[in-house]
Amino acid sequence: MFEETIIAQSTAHGTAIRGMIRINGPATIMSLQGIFEPELYAESKPYVKTGNLIFWGVARPVSAKIFYWSEGRGYTGHQAVEIHTLGSQPILDAIIAAITKSGNVRQARPGELTLRAFLSGRLDLTQAEAVLGVIEAPSQNALKTALQQLAGGMTLPIKKIHETLFETLAHLEAGLDFPEEGIEFISRSEIGSVLTAVREQMELLQQQMMRRGYSNEYPRVALLGLPNAGKSTLFNMLLQTDRAIVSPTPGTTRDYLEAEILFDGLPCTLADTAGINAGFHKDTIDESAQQLSKQISEQSDLIIYCSENILKEAAHQFGFDETKTLFVKTKSDLNKLNDTKLNDMELGNIVLNNSQSNCIDVTVSSKTGEGIDLLRMMIAKRLRELPPDNILRSTALRCRESVNESVRLLEQALEMCDSRSPFFDESILASQIRSVLETLGLIDGSVYTDKILDEIFSRFCIGK
Ligand SMILES: Nc1nc2c(ncn2[C@@H]2O[C@H](COP(=O)(O)OP(=O)(O)O)[C@@H](O)[C@H]2O)c(=O)[nH]1
Ligand SMILES: [Mg+2]
């Protein structure tokens, strides 16, 4: 496929001050003959040239800058140019039409340039995914994650594991080559301790992927609290719609709703959850709703704990992580008498203590709108403080299976190394380690299938 030369507009379609077109492949320079002045040559070093584009259909020459990369250089490692010129869409269309007319150049498919970069070893698969992560980053934090991954954030740990396993395999196989001499290049227990260390590194990777697999690219914010605390009303208030079903009967929200929402320009996924059951209905639906709340709180980056009477102990009872919780006192328009009554009903064994009120972060009323803006600001502040993830979600979802499978295969290899196991066959262990390597290779793309490539690169747009 590298014999083909491809072309694509890399800047967005439509009006812009500047536009950029990429050509990639062996006929790149040839394709610009008669189109760009002065004449260009396929030199051995990259260069930048300013000149004019001259072609049929546009009356006057259009000034342009050509950035040239020789074979072995640049993003893809192939001969390539970028044409930087006016952002006028008709001009960009005319350039592409003139260049493709020769028949030596065809339109690039989505993600084809990054695919070329991958196939020629300039990027591994996790980095290719990070390219998309950078382009599509919805926030500063998401961008940090993508840039870290692009810089090789995942490549390095996986390379290390690869190297260790390869080395072990080499020792093991060296021993297999000299069976008569009885030379042992590495002992069973030595292999065992190497594999134990590798397992630790892989488990770390596994944990990161599990965590990342929960959330989308946006941080997750969940409204939690007892039934009737006013979560759904607050959800609607924050969304300024009537998406959540609000009802005066406790425990109506048994499923949960999600919406993407901006707080001070920061995107997040806000989830309205089922109330945490405090003994209202002990039926099975409530148990599963409660389960769901617990799960959501674990998977959230920020919890908005809602209660008409906030007590830290209440959240404590449900096992929340207080460091990622905002305590919101709801229904501030209601009077104190009502509060006490509801509090007794809600919390049963927990006695209302006014000194506890200092754990309230903000007091709101969805009826009068009191405190809502402050709450929005506090959420935004917390979102800004979240640490960036170290793996993109798309990568985590794609690789989770492979990591789980390689941990499983590695564990089997470890069992073989156990001195208590009566059976030890070095060649079986060697093939087991090879399976681990092959499965791990799916992550960085040292092993790949057309299907994997298709799934990744079809998500790109043309010109990337
Ligand atoms: N007075 C008053 N009532 C509220 C407020 N927020 C919610 N409610 C009422 O409290 C009840 C339960 O609210 P809901 O949002 O369904 O609670 P959830 O179970 O936590 O989702 C409903 O009757 C709401 O109208 C508020 O700020 N002030
Ligand atoms: Mg509700």
Side-chain angles (χ1 to χ4, degrees):
M1 74 173 282
F2 295 158
E3 308 84 66
E4 292 179 288
T5 301
I6 54 176
I7 189 167
Q9 178 175 334
S10 287
T11 40
H13 276 253
T15 320
I17 292 178
R18 303 294 286 169
M20 196 258 274
I21 288 170
R22 283 182 170 150
I23 314 175
N24 191 286
T28 296
I29 288 297
M30 209 168 60
S31 73
L32 286 164
Q33 262 166 21
I35 289 174
F36 187 80
E37 253 184 15
E39 193 169 341
L40 300 169
Y41 298 95
E43 290 172 24
S44 59
K45 282 199 175 123
Y47 60 74
V48 185
K49 265 206 180 103
T50 308
N52 287 308
L53 291 159
I54 306 148
F55 42 86
W56 183 87
V58 177
R60 292 175 58 84
V62 177
S63 81
K65 228 179 202 153
I66 302 282
F67 291 78
Y68 164 80
W69 287 272
S70 44
E71 185 78 29
R73 307 282 193 115
Y75 185 51
T76 62
H78 303 296
Q79 188 184 107
V81 299
E82 282 182 4
I83 305 171
H84 292 231
T85 186
L86 299 175
S88 150
Q89 195 57 53
I91 288 178
L92 298 171
D93 289 343
I95 298 169
I96 291 175
I99 290 172
T100 47
K101 212 169 67 181
S102 67
N104 293 324
V105 182
R106 67 161 170 82
Q107 281 274 3
R109 286 184 280 271
E112 196 170 358
L113 290 162
T114 309
L115 175 63
R116 284 188 170 198
F118 164 70
L119 291 174
S120 51
R122 311 291 278 190
L123 297 173
D124 74 13
L125 268 194
T126 66
Q127 289 172 312
E129 284 169 314
V131 170
L132 195 63
V134 170
I135 297 168
E136 293 181 343
S139 65
Q140 286 292 339
N141 259 355
L143 179 64
K144 268 186 220 159
T145 305
L147 286 174
Q148 196 170 310
Q149 190 167 313
L150 184 59
M154 279 194 71
T155 316
L156 286 175
I158 289 174
K159 252 203 188 116
K160 256 196 198 143
I161 296 175
H162 263 285
E163 272 164 21
T164 313
L165 288 178
F166 262 123
E167 201 183 317
T168 313
L169 194 60
H171 287 311
L172 199 56
E173 287 180 339
L176 285 171
D177 287 342
F178 305 98
E180 289 84 26
E181 286 85 343
I183 306 171
E184 199 186 49
F185 288 83
I186 186 165
S187 73
R188 186 176 175 179
S189 72
E190 276 171 322
I191 301 172
S193 54
V194 170
L195 296 189
T196 307
V198 168
R199 182 178 57 185
E200 259 168 47
Q201 291 161 23
M202 280 180 14
E203 278 171 350
L204 195 71
L205 208 60
Q206 196 176 26
Q207 280 164 19
Q208 290 170 348
M209 293 206 174
M210 287 309 285
R211 207 193 100 65
R212 208 49 200 116
Y214 292 142
S215 56
N216 56 17
E217 300 306 346
Y218 298 150
R220 295 187 67 91
V221 180
L223 291 160
L224 279 183
L226 295 168
N228 223 17
K231 299 177 295 296
S232 298
T233 316
L234 186 59
F235 180 77
N236 288 339
M237 187 77 183
L238 291 170
L239 251 63
Q240 289 162 336
T241 64
D242 280 328
R243 256 194 78 166
I245 307 147
V246 182
S247 147
T249 326
T252 43
T253 316
R254 284 179 173 170
D255 203 343
Y256 73 97
L257 290 170
E258 278 189 358
E260 276 162 19
I261 176 170
L262 294 172
F263 289 104
D264 196 20
L266 300 168
C268 70
T269 302
L270 183 69
D272 178 25
T273 64
I276 301 158
N277 193 289
F280 290 113
H281 318 285
K282 279 272 183 247
D283 61 36
T284 49
I285 298 172
D286 267 322
E287 257 167 47
S288 61
Q290 204 176 334
Q291 194 74 34
L292 194 65
S293 290
K294 193 169 176 295
Q295 200 184 329
I296 289 167
S297 77
E298 278 167 8
Q299 298 167 3
S300 298
D301 298 289
L302 177 63
I303 298 161
I304 315 277
Y305 183 75
C306 301
S307 175
E308 287 175 50
N309 284 289
I310 295 280
L311 291 176
K312 241 180 192 156
E313 280 82 344
H316 218 68
Q317 268 202 332
F318 303 119
F320 293 166
D321 177 356
E322 285 178 27
T323 58
K324 62 172 187 184
T325 305
L326 268 178
F327 292 90
V328 178
K329 182 177 171 2
T330 54
K331 309 189 191 177
S332 63
D333 55 287
L334 292 181
N335 65 39
K336 283 272 178 280
L337 255 176
N338 225 350
D339 265 2
T340 314
K341 193 178 111 249
L342 277 165
N343 181 66
D344 289 345
M345 187 176 83
E346 263 187 28
L347 299 169
N349 54 345
I350 298 167
V351 183
L352 176 70
N353 177 351
N354 280 333
S355 70
Q356 298 280 352
S357 61
N358 61 359
C359 68
I360 297 168
D361 290 306
V362 57
T363 303
V364 303
S365 164
S366 303
K367 208 146 239 173
T368 64
E370 188 204 344
I372 300 291
D373 283 342
L374 184 60
L375 174 61
R376 283 184 202 276
M377 269 170 50
M378 292 180 109
I379 296 174
K381 182 168 177 285
R382 290 293 192 100
L383 289 177
R384 222 169 271 123
E385 288 166 358
L386 289 176
D389 277 297
N390 43 11
I391 299 177
L392 286 171
R393 184 189 184 234
S394 52
T395 305
L397 289 178
R398 177 180 67 81
C399 299
R400 213 157 47 175
E401 278 298 297
S402 308
V403 173
N404 291 345
E405 177 65 7
S406 26
V407 170
R408 202 182 59 80
L409 290 167
L410 190 72
E411 245 142 38
Q412 287 174 350
L414 264 169
E415 271 166 35
M416 294 179 198
C417 297
D418 189 339
S419 58
R420 283 163 301 182
S421 130
F423 176 75
F424 183 64
D425 184 318
E426 280 160 330
S427 63
I428 293 179
L429 179 59
S431 89
Q432 184 76 14
I433 293 176
R434 246 179 265 120
S435 308
V436 177
L437 278 166
E438 225 162 88
T439 315
L440 267 181
L442 291 167
I443 297 171
D444 61 5
S446 43
V447 176
Y448 63 82
T449 62
D450 285 348
K451 189 168 162 273
I452 292 179
L453 297 189
D454 217 48
E455 267 166 28
I456 294 173
F457 292 99
S458 63
R459 292 170 47 228
F460 280 69
C461 51
I462 290 176
K464 300 296 182 304

